[in-house]
Amino acid sequence: MVGAIAALAIAYEKDQPRFSLNPFCGVRFAYRLNVTIEVKGEKYSSSATGELQNNRISTGGVCRQEIGSVLPFRLSDNRLVVVYAGLCRAAVREFAGGQDAEPWDSGLKAGPIDDAFKTAMKEHKKLDIAQLCVGISRDRTGVDRARYDGYFLDSADEPQTWRGFSFDDNPYFDGISETERPRIVSAVAEATNRPPEDLLEKVAPATLKAHFGGEWSESPAWMFFDRRMQHQSSYGENEFHVPEEPHQLPKAPGFPATR
């Protein structure tokens, strides 16, 4: 009898999102990303397990994951490419059974969307993110005027400068040549009930001690903000400053050419 109850409990837990000890934020859905990019003819792979969270109580804030939010790629010349691991809205909609759901945070109560998420995790549903999103986190329905899709750091071990890039030819953020622009070779997201994880501490732990200069929303600072919440002790004396690499941008309508 006890064994049967335990088996049922394990089966139930397997289909449920991870229980969060955070009193303000719960977990609705988890997914595993496996991504391969190409830079100058060479291919590099990275992976992360991310989550979609929701407010347990209305605080006016947004629940975000600290681990599993960054995909790091160490290049053969020791530079680092980092890409945000959050799913674009179109991908979230597919996992939600065609229903609209915010990719980072939504409703306070469980409903049909949460049932669809649980079904997707139970079935280990897979999506070709490369077909649904620009990169990983941007929809194909418009141009993002707010930020880059990813960043180059001049060194994975001791970064001194950063430069942003877009996976497409974004007229607002286009500070990189076509020959060096990263290309998504494959990007697959699998719905799976696993705890969050990423490769950042293994591939490039120095990034967790870096303070990225420049406009906050345009620099890597916004991408690393959540990830660094786990590393508050890295601040202070051990922190070093990483400014943006000076370069010229083609002039877009209504925007200055120099960054």
Tab-separated table of all heavy atoms in Angstrom, residues 198-247:
chain	number	residue	atom	x	y	z
A	198	ASP	N	22.630	25.805	-16.322
A	198	ASP	CA	23.291	26.291	-17.521
A	198	ASP	C	24.785	26.014	-17.401
A	198	ASP	O	25.241	25.450	-16.405
A	198	ASP	CB	23.003	27.777	-17.779
A	198	ASP	CG	23.420	28.680	-16.633
A	198	ASP	OD1	24.506	28.443	-16.041
A	198	ASP	OD2	22.680	29.628	-16.302
A	199	LEU	N	25.540	26.399	-18.418
A	199	LEU	CA	26.969	26.091	-18.473
A	199	LEU	C	27.847	27.290	-18.158
A	199	LEU	O	29.066	27.227	-18.338
A	199	LEU	CB	27.321	25.561	-19.875
A	199	LEU	CG	26.604	24.283	-20.313
A	199	LEU	CD1	26.954	23.964	-21.769
A	199	LEU	CD2	26.970	23.119	-19.410
A	200	LEU	N	27.263	28.372	-17.673
A	200	LEU	CA	28.014	29.611	-17.533
A	200	LEU	C	29.189	29.479	-16.561
A	200	LEU	O	30.296	29.935	-16.847
A	200	LEU	CB	27.086	30.741	-17.095
A	200	LEU	CG	27.640	32.156	-17.273
A	200	LEU	CD1	27.975	32.432	-18.731
A	200	LEU	CD2	26.635	33.183	-16.769
A	201	GLU	N	28.971	28.876	-15.408
A	201	GLU	CA	30.048	28.748	-14.426
A	201	GLU	C	31.171	27.834	-14.919
A	201	GLU	O	32.327	27.996	-14.525
A	201	GLU	CB	29.497	28.227	-13.103
A	201	GLU	CG	28.660	29.244	-12.357
A	201	GLU	CD	28.258	28.751	-10.985
A	201	GLU	OE1	29.161	28.534	-10.146
A	201	GLU	OE2	27.059	28.576	-10.754
A	202	LYS	N	30.839	26.894	-15.797
A	202	LYS	CA	31.849	25.998	-16.352
A	202	LYS	C	32.583	26.640	-17.517
A	202	LYS	O	33.805	26.539	-17.628
A	202	LYS	CB	31.188	24.701	-16.805
A	202	LYS	CG	32.142	23.709	-17.450
A	202	LYS	CD	31.423	22.443	-17.888
A	202	LYS	CE	32.393	21.468	-18.553
A	202	LYS	NZ	31.696	20.217	-18.983
A	203	VAL	N	31.846	27.332	-18.399
A	203	VAL	CA	32.429	27.869	-19.628
A	203	VAL	C	33.102	29.222	-19.409
A	203	VAL	O	34.188	29.479	-19.935
A	203	VAL	CB	31.341	27.989	-20.718
A	203	VAL	CG1	31.867	28.708	-21.951
A	203	VAL	CG2	30.827	26.599	-21.097
A	204	ALA	N	32.466	30.096	-18.629
A	204	ALA	CA	32.992	31.460	-18.465
A	204	ALA	C	32.581	32.057	-17.125
A	204	ALA	O	31.785	32.998	-17.075
A	204	ALA	CB	32.523	32.346	-19.609
A	205	PRO	N	33.126	31.546	-16.009
A	205	PRO	CA	32.731	32.056	-14.690
A	205	PRO	C	33.116	33.517	-14.467
A	205	PRO	O	32.517	34.186	-13.626
A	205	PRO	CB	33.476	31.132	-13.718
A	205	PRO	CG	34.627	30.590	-14.504
A	205	PRO	CD	34.106	30.449	-15.904
A	206	ALA	N	34.098	34.023	-15.215
A	206	ALA	CA	34.523	35.412	-15.029
A	206	ALA	C	33.409	36.401	-15.333
A	206	ALA	O	33.394	37.512	-14.807
A	206	ALA	CB	35.730	35.717	-15.916
A	207	THR	N	32.458	36.007	-16.166
A	207	THR	CA	31.364	36.922	-16.518
A	207	THR	C	30.506	37.273	-15.310
A	207	THR	O	29.853	38.323	-15.292
A	207	THR	CB	30.465	36.308	-17.604
A	207	THR	OG1	29.970	35.036	-17.139
A	207	THR	CG2	31.232	36.105	-18.898
A	208	LEU	N	30.507	36.425	-14.306
A	208	LEU	CA	29.696	36.682	-13.123
A	208	LEU	C	30.327	37.719	-12.205
A	208	LEU	O	29.712	38.151	-11.231
A	208	LEU	CB	29.458	35.379	-12.359
A	208	LEU	CG	28.671	34.313	-13.137
A	208	LEU	CD1	28.626	33.011	-12.373
A	208	LEU	CD2	27.260	34.807	-13.450
A	209	LYS	N	31.564	38.124	-12.511
A	209	LYS	CA	32.233	39.180	-11.757
A	209	LYS	C	32.342	40.473	-12.562
A	209	LYS	O	32.945	41.436	-12.113
A	209	LYS	CB	33.632	38.722	-11.348
A	209	LYS	CG	33.655	37.493	-10.452
A	209	LYS	CD	35.082	37.115	-10.105
A	209	LYS	CE	35.129	35.867	-9.235
A	209	LYS	NZ	36.521	35.480	-8.890
A	210	ALA	N	31.771	40.465	-13.754
A	210	ALA	CA	31.928	41.613	-14.658
A	210	ALA	C	30.794	42.618	-14.497
A	210	ALA	O	29.624	42.246	-14.376
A	210	ALA	CB	31.989	41.132	-16.101
A	211	HIS	N	31.173	43.875	-14.485
A	211	HIS	CA	30.198	44.968	-14.524
A	211	HIS	C	30.251	45.543	-15.934
A	211	HIS	O	31.264	46.101	-16.348
A	211	HIS	CB	30.536	46.041	-13.501
A	211	HIS	CG	29.679	47.263	-13.630
A	211	HIS	ND1	28.383	47.316	-13.173
A	211	HIS	CD2	29.934	48.470	-14.185
A	211	HIS	CE1	27.876	48.508	-13.435
A	211	HIS	NE2	28.801	49.229	-14.054
A	212	PHE	N	29.152	45.400	-16.691
A	212	PHE	CA	29.139	45.795	-18.083
A	212	PHE	C	28.716	47.249	-18.228
A	212	PHE	O	27.632	47.643	-17.782
A	212	PHE	CB	28.205	44.886	-18.882
A	212	PHE	CG	28.656	43.451	-18.887
A	212	PHE	CD1	28.080	42.522	-18.038
A	212	PHE	CD2	29.672	43.043	-19.736
A	212	PHE	CE1	28.500	41.202	-18.036
A	212	PHE	CE2	30.112	41.724	-19.737
A	212	PHE	CZ	29.524	40.801	-18.885
A	213	GLY	N	29.604	48.051	-18.839
A	213	GLY	CA	29.319	49.455	-19.039
A	213	GLY	C	28.406	49.685	-20.230
A	213	GLY	O	28.149	48.788	-21.033
A	214	GLY	N	27.912	50.912	-20.356
A	214	GLY	CA	27.002	51.257	-21.440
A	214	GLY	C	25.579	51.339	-20.948
A	214	GLY	O	25.275	51.125	-19.764
A	215	GLU	N	24.665	51.654	-21.845
A	215	GLU	CA	23.243	51.706	-21.509
A	215	GLU	C	22.789	50.346	-21.000
A	215	GLU	O	22.991	49.320	-21.653
A	215	GLU	CB	22.443	52.103	-22.752
A	215	GLU	CG	20.946	52.247	-22.510
A	215	GLU	CD	20.603	53.428	-21.610
A	215	GLU	OE1	21.374	54.413	-21.630
A	215	GLU	OE2	19.581	53.347	-20.910
A	216	TRP	N	22.166	50.319	-19.823
A	216	TRP	CA	21.862	49.049	-19.156
A	216	TRP	C	21.059	48.110	-20.042
A	216	TRP	O	21.373	46.928	-20.163
A	216	TRP	CB	21.098	49.320	-17.857
A	216	TRP	CG	20.939	48.098	-16.993
A	216	TRP	CD1	21.801	47.628	-16.055
A	216	TRP	CD2	19.829	47.182	-17.003
A	216	TRP	NE1	21.310	46.477	-15.467
A	216	TRP	CE2	20.105	46.182	-16.025
A	216	TRP	CE3	18.641	47.101	-17.728
A	216	TRP	CZ2	19.234	45.128	-15.775
A	216	TRP	CZ3	17.773	46.038	-17.483
A	216	TRP	CH2	18.074	45.077	-16.511
A	217	SER	N	20.023	48.620	-20.696
A	217	SER	CA	19.132	47.773	-21.482
A	217	SER	C	19.766	47.301	-22.783
A	217	SER	O	19.248	46.385	-23.427
A	217	SER	CB	17.825	48.512	-21.793
A	217	SER	OG	18.075	49.666	-22.566
A	218	GLU	N	20.872	47.925	-23.196
A	218	GLU	CA	21.531	47.544	-24.435
A	218	GLU	C	22.797	46.730	-24.197
A	218	GLU	O	23.249	46.008	-25.080
A	218	GLU	CB	21.868	48.794	-25.253
A	218	GLU	CG	20.636	49.577	-25.692
A	218	GLU	CD	21.000	50.875	-26.389
A	218	GLU	OE1	22.202	51.090	-26.654
A	218	GLU	OE2	20.093	51.666	-26.681
A	219	SER	N	23.382	46.830	-23.020
A	219	SER	CA	24.608	46.103	-22.706
A	219	SER	C	24.263	44.701	-22.197
A	219	SER	O	23.091	44.386	-21.946
A	219	SER	CB	25.394	46.864	-21.639
A	219	SER	OG	24.844	46.632	-20.360
A	220	PRO	N	25.261	43.829	-22.007
A	220	PRO	CA	24.982	42.497	-21.439
A	220	PRO	C	24.444	42.548	-20.015
A	220	PRO	O	24.028	41.512	-19.480
A	220	PRO	CB	26.358	41.813	-21.482
A	220	PRO	CG	27.127	42.532	-22.530
A	220	PRO	CD	26.664	43.960	-22.442
A	221	ALA	N	24.445	43.724	-19.385
A	221	ALA	CA	24.009	43.831	-17.989
A	221	ALA	C	22.602	43.282	-17.780
A	221	ALA	O	22.333	42.600	-16.787
A	221	ALA	CB	24.091	45.288	-17.531
A	222	TRP	N	21.682	43.574	-18.720
A	222	TRP	CA	20.294	43.097	-18.539
A	222	TRP	C	20.230	41.571	-18.600
A	222	TRP	O	19.445	40.935	-17.897
A	222	TRP	CB	19.372	43.700	-19.599
A	222	TRP	CG	19.585	43.156	-20.989
A	222	TRP	CD1	20.394	43.669	-21.952
A	222	TRP	CD2	18.981	41.988	-21.556
A	222	TRP	NE1	20.350	42.899	-23.095
A	222	TRP	CE2	19.479	41.854	-22.883
A	222	TRP	CE3	18.074	41.044	-21.083
A	222	TRP	CZ2	19.106	40.821	-23.733
A	222	TRP	CZ3	17.701	40.001	-21.936
A	222	TRP	CH2	18.214	39.901	-23.243
A	223	MET	N	21.079	40.969	-19.447
A	223	MET	CA	21.063	39.523	-19.602
A	223	MET	C	21.618	38.816	-18.371
A	223	MET	O	21.135	37.763	-17.961
A	223	MET	CB	21.868	39.128	-20.837
A	223	MET	CG	21.860	37.635	-21.123
A	223	MET	SD	22.907	37.178	-22.545
A	223	MET	CE	22.047	38.004	-23.883
A	224	PHE	N	22.640	39.425	-17.740
A	224	PHE	CA	23.307	38.786	-16.606
A	224	PHE	C	22.708	39.172	-15.261
A	224	PHE	O	23.088	38.608	-14.237
A	224	PHE	CB	24.797	39.143	-16.613
A	224	PHE	CG	25.588	38.379	-17.632
A	224	PHE	CD1	25.733	38.858	-18.911
A	224	PHE	CD2	26.170	37.167	-17.305
A	224	PHE	CE1	26.462	38.155	-19.861
A	224	PHE	CE2	26.903	36.454	-18.238
A	224	PHE	CZ	27.049	36.953	-19.516
A	225	PHE	N	21.769	40.101	-15.257
A	225	PHE	CA	21.227	40.583	-13.991
A	225	PHE	C	20.640	39.449	-13.167
A	225	PHE	O	20.976	39.270	-11.988
A	225	PHE	CB	20.168	41.653	-14.241
A	225	PHE	CG	19.508	42.145	-12.987
A	225	PHE	CD1	20.144	43.053	-12.157
A	225	PHE	CD2	18.247	41.691	-12.623
A	225	PHE	CE1	19.545	43.491	-10.986
A	225	PHE	CE2	17.638	42.123	-11.457
A	225	PHE	CZ	18.286	43.033	-10.641
A	226	ASP	N	19.764	38.654	-13.776
A	226	ASP	CA	19.132	37.558	-13.041
A	226	ASP	C	20.139	36.476	-12.673
A	226	ASP	O	20.111	35.936	-11.569
A	226	ASP	CB	18.002	36.951	-13.875
A	226	ASP	CG	16.904	37.952	-14.169
A	226	ASP	OD1	16.382	38.541	-13.216
A	226	ASP	OD2	16.582	38.158	-15.352
A	227	ARG	N	21.043	36.176	-13.589
A	227	ARG	CA	22.019	35.118	-13.347
A	227	ARG	C	22.946	35.484	-12.196
A	227	ARG	O	23.345	34.627	-11.405
A	227	ARG	CB	22.831	34.901	-14.634
A	227	ARG	CG	23.789	33.709	-14.544
A	227	ARG	CD	22.992	32.416	-14.415
A	227	ARG	NE	23.874	31.266	-14.374
A	227	ARG	CZ	24.491	30.829	-13.292
A	227	ARG	NH1	24.352	31.468	-12.148
A	227	ARG	NH2	25.248	29.755	-13.335
A	228	ARG	N	23.291	36.762	-12.071
A	228	ARG	CA	24.219	37.195	-11.035
A	228	ARG	C	23.565	37.324	-9.671
A	228	ARG	O	24.255	37.501	-8.668
A	228	ARG	CB	24.863	38.518	-11.436
A	228	ARG	CG	25.827	38.396	-12.615
A	228	ARG	CD	26.449	39.735	-12.944
A	228	ARG	NE	27.310	40.179	-11.868
A	228	ARG	CZ	27.724	41.444	-11.744
A	228	ARG	NH1	27.343	42.354	-12.593
A	228	ARG	NH2	28.509	41.784	-10.751
A	229	MET	N	22.256	37.215	-9.601
A	229	MET	CA	21.590	37.267	-8.305
A	229	MET	C	22.078	36.138	-7.394
A	229	MET	O	22.010	36.232	-6.185
A	229	MET	CB	20.073	37.175	-8.489
A	229	MET	CG	19.460	38.371	-9.195
A	229	MET	SD	19.597	39.897	-8.235
A	229	MET	CE	18.355	39.585	-6.990
A	230	GLN	N	22.601	35.057	-8.008
A	230	GLN	CA	23.136	33.948	-7.232
A	230	GLN	C	24.573	34.207	-6.784
A	230	GLN	O	25.157	33.419	-6.058
A	230	GLN	CB	23.088	32.664	-8.072
A	230	GLN	CG	21.693	32.189	-8.395
A	230	GLN	CD	21.000	31.574	-7.203
A	230	GLN	OE1	21.637	30.917	-6.393
A	230	GLN	NE2	19.712	31.795	-7.066
A	231	HIS	N	25.154	35.328	-7.245
A	231	HIS	CA	26.569	35.579	-6.990
A	231	HIS	C	26.797	36.985	-6.434
A	231	HIS	O	27.678	37.700	-6.880
A	231	HIS	CB	27.378	35.390	-8.279
A	231	HIS	CG	27.482	33.961	-8.689
A	231	HIS	ND1	28.573	33.174	-8.414
A	231	HIS	CD2	26.607	33.171	-9.342
A	231	HIS	CE1	28.372	31.962	-8.889
A	231	HIS	NE2	27.194	31.931	-9.461
A	232	GLN	N	25.994	37.383	-5.483
A	232	GLN	CA	26.153	38.708	-4.890
A	232	GLN	C	27.539	38.882	-4.268
A	232	GLN	O	28.073	39.984	-4.225
A	232	GLN	CB	25.068	38.941	-3.839
A	232	GLN	CG	23.660	39.007	-4.407
A	232	GLN	CD	23.437	40.238	-5.247
A	232	GLN	OE1	24.123	41.228	-5.097
A	232	GLN	NE2	22.476	40.185	-6.149
A	233	SER	N	28.129	37.792	-3.815
A	233	SER	CA	29.445	37.893	-3.191
A	233	SER	C	30.535	38.235	-4.197
A	233	SER	O	31.649	38.575	-3.822
A	233	SER	CB	29.803	36.568	-2.504
A	233	SER	OG	29.836	35.508	-3.444
A	234	SER	N	30.221	38.153	-5.497
A	234	SER	CA	31.208	38.475	-6.528
A	234	SER	C	31.337	39.976	-6.730
A	234	SER	O	32.202	40.429	-7.468
A	234	SER	CB	30.805	37.815	-7.856
A	234	SER	OG	30.814	36.419	-7.741
A	235	TYR	N	30.455	40.756	-6.111
A	235	TYR	CA	30.488	42.192	-6.289
A	235	TYR	C	31.636	42.786	-5.471
A	235	TYR	O	32.278	42.122	-4.679
A	235	TYR	CB	29.164	42.823	-5.834
A	235	TYR	CG	27.998	42.549	-6.743
A	235	TYR	CD1	27.982	41.454	-7.597
A	235	TYR	CD2	26.893	43.386	-6.737
A	235	TYR	CE1	26.907	41.198	-8.413
A	235	TYR	CE2	25.799	43.127	-7.561
A	235	TYR	CZ	25.812	42.030	-8.387
A	235	TYR	OH	24.744	41.783	-9.204
A	236	GLY	N	31.868	44.064	-5.652
A	236	GLY	CA	32.842	44.772	-4.824
A	236	GLY	C	34.244	44.658	-5.375
A	236	GLY	O	34.489	44.889	-6.546
A	237	GLU	N	35.190	44.281	-4.522
A	237	GLU	CA	36.598	44.291	-4.897
A	237	GLU	C	36.912	43.337	-6.043
A	237	GLU	O	37.830	43.571	-6.830
A	237	GLU	CB	37.463	43.932	-3.687
A	237	GLU	CG	37.438	44.984	-2.579
A	237	GLU	CD	38.342	44.612	-1.432
A	237	GLU	OE1	38.976	43.534	-1.524
A	237	GLU	OE2	38.413	45.373	-0.468
A	238	ASN	N	36.181	42.239	-6.143
A	238	ASN	CA	36.464	41.254	-7.175
A	238	ASN	C	35.818	41.609	-8.517
A	238	ASN	O	36.035	40.926	-9.503
A	238	ASN	CB	35.965	39.870	-6.739
A	238	ASN	CG	36.733	39.345	-5.551
A	238	ASN	OD1	37.908	39.616	-5.422
A	238	ASN	ND2	36.058	38.602	-4.688
A	239	GLU	N	35.024	42.633	-8.538
A	239	GLU	CA	34.315	42.983	-9.764
A	239	GLU	C	35.203	43.825	-10.668
A	239	GLU	O	35.994	44.649	-10.203
A	239	GLU	CB	33.047	43.767	-9.419
A	239	GLU	CG	32.141	44.022	-10.613
A	239	GLU	CD	30.842	44.657	-10.170
A	239	GLU	OE1	30.853	45.864	-9.913
A	239	GLU	OE2	29.844	43.940	-10.075
A	240	PHE	N	35.126	43.608	-11.966
A	240	PHE	CA	35.870	44.432	-12.903
A	240	PHE	C	34.929	44.984	-13.961
A	240	PHE	O	33.850	44.441	-14.197
A	240	PHE	CB	37.037	43.662	-13.542
A	240	PHE	CG	36.654	42.335	-14.139
A	240	PHE	CD1	36.333	42.213	-15.476
A	240	PHE	CD2	36.642	41.187	-13.346
A	240	PHE	CE1	36.004	40.988	-16.022
A	240	PHE	CE2	36.303	39.952	-13.891
A	240	PHE	CZ	35.979	39.852	-15.232
A	241	HIS	N	35.331	46.077	-14.609
A	241	HIS	CA	34.454	46.797	-15.524
A	241	HIS	C	34.761	46.440	-16.971
A	241	HIS	O	35.920	46.379	-17.377
A	241	HIS	CB	34.608	48.301	-15.302
A	241	HIS	CG	34.131	48.734	-13.950
A	241	HIS	ND1	32.829	49.129	-13.720
A	241	HIS	CD2	34.763	48.798	-12.744
A	241	HIS	CE1	32.691	49.440	-12.436
A	241	HIS	NE2	33.840	49.246	-11.827
A	242	VAL	N	33.691	46.203	-17.728
A	242	VAL	CA	33.803	45.801	-19.124
A	242	VAL	C	33.006	46.784	-19.975
A	242	VAL	O	31.779	46.694	-20.052
A	242	VAL	CB	33.280	44.364	-19.339
A	242	VAL	CG1	33.499	43.929	-20.786
A	242	VAL	CG2	33.961	43.395	-18.377
A	243	PRO	N	33.664	47.741	-20.625
A	243	PRO	CA	32.948	48.716	-21.452
A	243	PRO	C	32.634	48.155	-22.835
A	243	PRO	O	33.147	47.112	-23.246
A	243	PRO	CB	33.947	49.875	-21.557
A	243	PRO	CG	35.277	49.189	-21.492
A	243	PRO	CD	35.104	48.023	-20.542
A	244	GLU	N	31.798	48.882	-23.563
A	244	GLU	CA	31.481	48.510	-24.937
A	244	GLU	C	32.662	48.834	-25.843
A	244	GLU	O	33.328	49.853	-25.685
A	244	GLU	CB	30.241	49.273	-25.419
A	244	GLU	CG	29.832	48.935	-26.845
A	244	GLU	CD	28.594	49.702	-27.283
A	244	GLU	OE1	28.184	50.629	-26.556
A	244	GLU	OE2	28.054	49.375	-28.359
A	245	GLU	N	32.932	47.963	-26.800
A	245	GLU	CA	33.989	48.209	-27.774
A	245	GLU	C	33.561	49.338	-28.715
A	245	GLU	O	32.461	49.277	-29.280
A	245	GLU	CB	34.239	46.935	-28.583
A	245	GLU	CG	35.273	47.083	-29.677
A	245	GLU	CD	35.393	45.816	-30.504
A	245	GLU	OE1	35.025	44.731	-29.994
A	245	GLU	OE2	35.841	45.910	-31.651
A	246	PRO	N	34.361	50.390	-28.876
A	246	PRO	CA	33.975	51.497	-29.759
A	246	PRO	C	33.867	51.020	-31.202
A	246	PRO	O	34.700	50.256	-31.691
A	246	PRO	CB	35.147	52.483	-29.618
A	246	PRO	CG	35.826	52.094	-28.354
A	246	PRO	CD	35.658	50.615	-28.235
A	247	HIS	N	32.804	51.462	-31.874
A	247	HIS	CA	32.632	51.124	-33.276
A	247	HIS	C	31.596	52.034	-33.892
A	247	HIS	O	30.878	52.746	-33.211
A	247	HIS	CB	32.218	49.662	-33.446
A	247	HIS	CG	30.911	49.320	-32.790
A	247	HIS	ND1	30.805	49.096	-31.435
A	247	HIS	CD2	29.670	49.161	-33.297
A	247	HIS	CE1	29.542	48.811	-31.137
A	247	HIS	NE2	28.838	48.843	-32.252
